[in-house]
């Protein structure tokens, strides 16, 4: 095992570029004195963006061969460290400016430049997104991938870099939202099993919305190895072994790269106009009416015996009907005790067929649509299957889980499709359990036009709910209804996340964090939430950013490898 010390610096760059260069070089010096071999600096370290228009942005932005970058190169060479710095650089033609991450070697050479692909809202008024293929840089420290802030708001850039072999993501940020620190940065580490060195701006003018700081160094399992806090300038260090990022196994879940289903991922590389989601991108039409749907989480799991457990589920459905629910979601394998299915999958399939009949009658009696996750048998094979029953009790859609976790592989065969169904209560997609860790599943359902994703689950960790599920809604702008078992090991309750249609004047935190509703863990209670399907038909995260339409499918060939 070879450990390398890495550092993340956070500070605020003003309008004096000479002072900003001195600030950057001082942090490079401090990083080197602290033993770091790599230091990441925030986005736009060169200058505060107080520009009125693109022309002014151009006039104040440096070139790659200009004095600002030369100063960074000299500092890297003097102190013998790798530097990943965020710098807004002039493009080939005025007034084009690109938001860039520049990787500099200890010899002062430029190893690579990444031009930010996904811009944050106002940035589209000043900058031009990059469109170059992704690169991973081989160094003696490990394989390094570069990204910038909003590149990580969506799953595509971090996923592409990880699939290309990156062990370390160097992320330069300029974020005023709390979601980078709490959701994006840790999740991109966890779902890709890579190290993540993220450096954000902090503070700023006393009368303005502050930059959020939260610079951190995150291990492949999501552990924060270093944390600079959200209020003060500073620099943090961690010792990492980049080869740990070659192990893609999440304990209890499986190898997160080996279980990818590239045979199902073709829509990820299709042009937007060929996909159902195209009609949902951008803001919702002004004349689109509200389309309310009342959803309920039917939080129950095996207790005492099977008959009693199923009776409780039936009573939950009846209660949801009396409360006016349109759709109820039951937890993962709710009628089975832990380990019961693996011990006897044939018996579990027989029981599931009988349970499905009881649930069907309950739906018809209550007039409620229900999602139930059970065991299916066909031609001697068993499947981990989610069923959507309509208000008459008829099965209108099934989803055989395509990404099986470690336990399910003992008894189940994976399904072969990820699709949605259009119904009177909206276009619905199904996702099961640990698939919340697979960005492709929710993304494919979104591209297929899902307005609601129903998610029977059994949270394995709090992060599955508060980080992974939260991100699936945020990056796709789709409603997510997750219902967990009472005996969930995570001790986290069921959760409903709404797509939240952007409205001018929203605070930044509300623009970027989906509204959530939770029930208490371990308690048989029912969470009833009214969702508006109109919200899922507006993919805007702000005035200019659509995190679905800004995808670059022509660059995602590695998603199918």
């Amino acid at each position: 095992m070879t450990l390398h010390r890495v550092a993340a610096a956070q500070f605020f760059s003003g309008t004096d570029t000479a002072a900003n260069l001195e600030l950057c070089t001082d942090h490079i010096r401090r990083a080197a004195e602290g033993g770091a071999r790599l230091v990441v600096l925030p986005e736009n370290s060169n200058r505060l963006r107080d520009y009125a228009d693109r022309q002014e942005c151009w006039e104040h932005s440096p070139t790659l061969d200009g004095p600002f970058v030369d100063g960074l190169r000299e500092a890297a060479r003097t102190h013998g460290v790798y530097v990943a710095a965020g710098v807004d650089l002039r493009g080939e033609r005025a007034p084009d400016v690109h938001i860039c991450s520049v990787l500099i070697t200890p010899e002062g050479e430029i190893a690579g430049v990444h031009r930010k692909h996904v811009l944050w809202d106002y940035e589209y008024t000043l900058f031009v997104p990059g469109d170059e293929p992704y690169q991973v840089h081989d160094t003696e420290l490990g394989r390094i991938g570069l990204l910038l802030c909003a590149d990580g708001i969506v799953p595509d850039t971090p996923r592409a870099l990880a699939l290309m072999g990156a062990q370390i993501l160097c992320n330069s940020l300029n974020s005023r939202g709390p979601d980078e620190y709490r959701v994006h940065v840790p999740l991109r580490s966890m779902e890709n099993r890579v190290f993540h060195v993220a450096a954000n701006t902090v503070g700023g003018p006393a009368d303005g919305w502050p930059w959020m700081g939260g610079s951190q160094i995150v291990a492949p399992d999501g552990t924060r190895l270093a944390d600079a806090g959200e209020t003060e300038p500073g620099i943090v260090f961690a010792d990492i072994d980049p080869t740990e990022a070659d192990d893609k196994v999440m304990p209890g879940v499986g190898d997160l790269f080996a279980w990818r289903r590239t045979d199902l991922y073709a829509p990820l590389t299709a042009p937007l106009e060929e996909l159902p989601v195209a009609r949902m991108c951008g803001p919702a039409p002004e004349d689109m009416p509200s389309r309310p749907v009342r959803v309920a989480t039917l939080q129950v799991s095996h207790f005492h015996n099977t008959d009693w457990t199923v009776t409780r589920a039936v009573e939950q459905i009846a209660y949801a009907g009396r409360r006016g629910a349109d759709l109820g979601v039951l937890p993962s394998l709710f009628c089975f005790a832990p380990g019961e299915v693996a011990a006897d999958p044939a018996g579990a399939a027989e029981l599931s067929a009988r349970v499905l009949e009881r649930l069907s009658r309950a739906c018809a009696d209550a007039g409620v649509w229900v999602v139930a996750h059970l065991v299916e048998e066909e031609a001697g094979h068993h499947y981990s299957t989610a069923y959507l029953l309509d208000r008459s009790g008829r099965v209108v859609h099934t989803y055989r889980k395509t990404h099986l976790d470690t336990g399910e592989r003992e008894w189940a065969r994976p399904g072969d499709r990820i699709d949605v169904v259009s119904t009177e209560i909206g276009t619905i997609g199904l996702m099961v359990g640990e698939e919340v860790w697979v960005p492709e599943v929710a993304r494919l359902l979104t591209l297929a036009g899902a307005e609601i994703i129903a998610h029977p689950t059994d949270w394995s960790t709090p992060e599955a709910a508060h980080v992974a599920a939260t991100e699936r809604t945020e990056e796709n702008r789709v409603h997510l209804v997750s219902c967990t078992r009472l005996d969930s090991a995570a001790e986290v309750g069921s959760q409903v996340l709404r797509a939240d249609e952007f409205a001018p004047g929203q605070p930044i935190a509300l623009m970027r964090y989906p509204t959530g509703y939770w029930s208490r863990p371990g308690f048989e209670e029912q969470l009833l939430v009214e969702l508006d399907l109109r919200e899922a038909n507006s993919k805007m995260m702000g005035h200019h950013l659509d995190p679905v339409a800004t995808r670059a499918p022509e660059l995602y060939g590695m998603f199918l490898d």
Side-chain angles (χ1 to χ4, degrees):
M1 179 175 68
T2 302
L3 294 177
H4 300 293
R5 180 160 291 185
V6 297
Q10 65 179 31
F11 50 83
F12 174 79
S13 294
T15 57
D16 186 334
T17 54
N20 296 336
L21 177 58
E22 185 176 343
L23 190 62
C24 291
T25 57
D26 182 61
H27 280 86
I28 294 170
R29 174 189 59 78
R30 291 172 58 193
E33 290 176 350
R37 300 194 62 197
L38 164 70
V39 57
V40 180
L41 306 181
E43 187 180 316
N44 65 284
S45 292
N46 57 296
R47 193 184 188 279
L48 173 70
R49 297 168 179 159
D50 60 348
Y51 316 124
D53 53 32
R54 287 178 180 264
Q55 183 60 40
E56 186 177 358
C57 180
W58 162 271
E59 291 169 359
H60 287 287
S61 295
T63 60
L64 188 60
D65 58 359
F68 190 88
V69 176
D70 282 350
L72 297 178
R73 295 175 63 186
E74 177 61 29
R77 181 168 49 248
T78 298
H79 299 290
V81 296
Y82 282 91
V83 175
V87 186
D88 297 339
L89 294 175
R90 291 184 181 182
E92 296 178 358
R93 301 181 303 275
D96 291 353
V97 178
H98 299 286
I99 301 171
C100 297
S101 173
V102 181
L103 181 64
I104 303 170
T105 71
E107 294 73 38
E109 300 299 321
I110 295 175
V113 178
H114 169 69
R115 299 188 302 178
K116 189 175 182 180
H117 284 195
V118 179
L119 308 187
W120 168 246
D121 206 34
Y122 81 90
E123 293 173 348
Y124 283 97
T125 69
L126 297 174
F127 302 98
V128 177
D131 59 3
E132 74 281 2
Y134 295 105
Q135 288 184 292
V136 170
H137 307 280
D138 284 306
T139 75
E140 64 267 31
L141 304 184
R143 298 185 296 275
I144 294 176
L146 304 175
L147 69 155
L148 293 126
C149 202
D151 278 333
I153 283 180
V154 293
D156 311 294
T157 293
R159 193 62 146 187
L161 294 171
L163 289 172
M164 293 173 67
Q167 298 165 314
I168 306 169
L169 299 181
C170 294
N171 189 353
S172 296
L173 303 104
N174 183 55
S175 175
R176 289 168 160 175
D179 49 331
E180 299 283 4
Y181 174 73
R182 292 166 171 79
V183 177
H184 305 307
V185 171
L187 181 64
R188 301 314 177 199
S189 287
M190 287 187 275
E191 69 188 14
N192 294 298
R193 309 299 285 183
V194 294
F195 288 96
H196 203 154
V197 186
N200 193 20
T201 307
V202 69
D207 61 345
W209 188 285
W211 280 264
M212 287 297 293
S215 299
Q216 57 189 309
I217 302 168
V218 184
D221 65 358
T223 300
R224 283 194 177 95
L225 304 176
D227 180 350
E230 295 181 289
T231 59
E232 301 297 329
I235 187 167
V236 292
F237 301 85
D239 296 320
I240 68 171
D241 176 7
T243 63
E244 291 179 9
D246 296 333
D247 181 358
K248 301 301 182 182
V249 175
M250 177 180 282
V253 176
D255 187 316
L256 297 188
F257 277 22
W259 79 344
R260 297 178 68 253
R261 294 292 306 278
T262 56
D263 56 317
L264 305 179
Y265 293 172
L268 297 176
T269 63
L272 177 66
E273 60 271 16
E274 297 179 5
L275 300 168
V277 77
R279 65 179 181 271
M280 305 166 72
C281 289
E286 291 186 7
D287 60 354
M288 178 180 284
S290 293
R291 296 167 58 206
V293 172
R294 292 166 66 84
V295 300
T297 57
L298 313 180
Q299 188 167 284
V300 65
S301 61
H302 189 276
F303 178 74
H304 190 59
N305 60 57
T306 301
D307 287 341
W308 173 232
T309 301
V310 176
T311 296
R312 294 164 71 197
V314 167
E315 290 177 349
Q316 283 262 15
I317 294 171
Y319 182 54
R322 290 195 296 273
R323 301 178 73 195
D326 298 297
L327 171 68
V329 180
L330 285 159
S332 176
L333 299 175
F334 74 95
C335 59
F336 298 101
E340 182 180 352
V341 174
D344 183 10
E350 292 177 3
L351 173 61
S352 292
R354 296 194 299 272
V355 170
L356 192 61
E357 289 181 3
R358 287 194 64 184
L359 297 179
S360 175
R361 292 194 296 271
C363 290
D365 291 342
V368 176
W369 294 65
V370 167
V371 173
H373 176 223
L374 297 164
V375 179
E376 180 189 8
E377 186 275 332
E378 183 180 83
H381 299 292
H382 298 99
Y383 300 90
S384 177
T385 300
Y387 298 87
L388 174 63
L389 296 91
D390 68 13
R391 65 176 79 254
S392 71
R394 181 172 59 99
V395 175
V396 297
H397 186 59
T398 60
Y399 169 61
R400 291 172 171 174
K401 189 177 180 185
T402 55
H403 298 71
L404 302 179
D405 61 43
T406 301
E408 288 168 322
R409 290 191 189 98
E410 297 178 12
W411 60 268
R413 169 179 282 202
D416 59 6
R417 58 181 173 80
I418 299 173
D419 55 8
V420 301
V421 59
S422 181
T423 77
E424 66 185 60
I425 61 168
T427 302
I428 299 173
L430 305 180
M431 177 174 72
V432 177
E434 302 289 11
E435 287 183 317
V436 74
W437 293 108
V438 189
E440 289 88 349
V441 174
R443 201 60 146 173
L444 287 165
L445 293 172
T446 299
L447 297 180
E451 295 170 312
I452 298 174
I453 297 177
H455 178 216
T457 192
D458 178 15
W459 302 126
S460 55
T461 64
E463 290 78 15
H466 301 318
V467 179
T470 298
E471 183 73 87
R472 300 304 165 230
T473 291
E474 186 167 356
E475 68 196 12
N476 293 300
R477 316 304 281 186
V478 63
H479 298 304
L480 178 59
V481 184
S482 301
C483 186
T484 193
R485 294 170 60 103
L486 298 178
D487 55 5
S488 168
E491 298 185 347
V492 174
S494 298
Q495 174 177 277
V496 176
L497 298 168
R498 65 183 317 132
D500 282 342
E501 183 174 1
F502 168 71
Q506 271 183 339
I508 291 176
L510 299 183
M511 293 167 69
R512 295 163 54 139
Y513 237 129
T515 301
Y517 308 87
W518 295 269
S519 60
R520 291 168 291 183
F523 184 72
E524 189 180 335
E525 66 179 1
Q526 192 174 101
L527 181 65
L528 180 67
V529 177
E530 182 171 288
L531 301 175
D532 187 350
L533 298 184
R534 176 192 161 95
E535 295 177 358
N537 287 270
S538 173
K539 297 301 183 187
M540 300 305 293
M541 193 180 288
H543 294 279
H544 306 282
L545 173 58
D546 180 328
V548 178
T550 52
R551 298 172 67 255
E554 69 278 6
L555 302 180
Y556 301 156
M558 73 288 292
F559 289 5
L560 306 184
D561 294 337

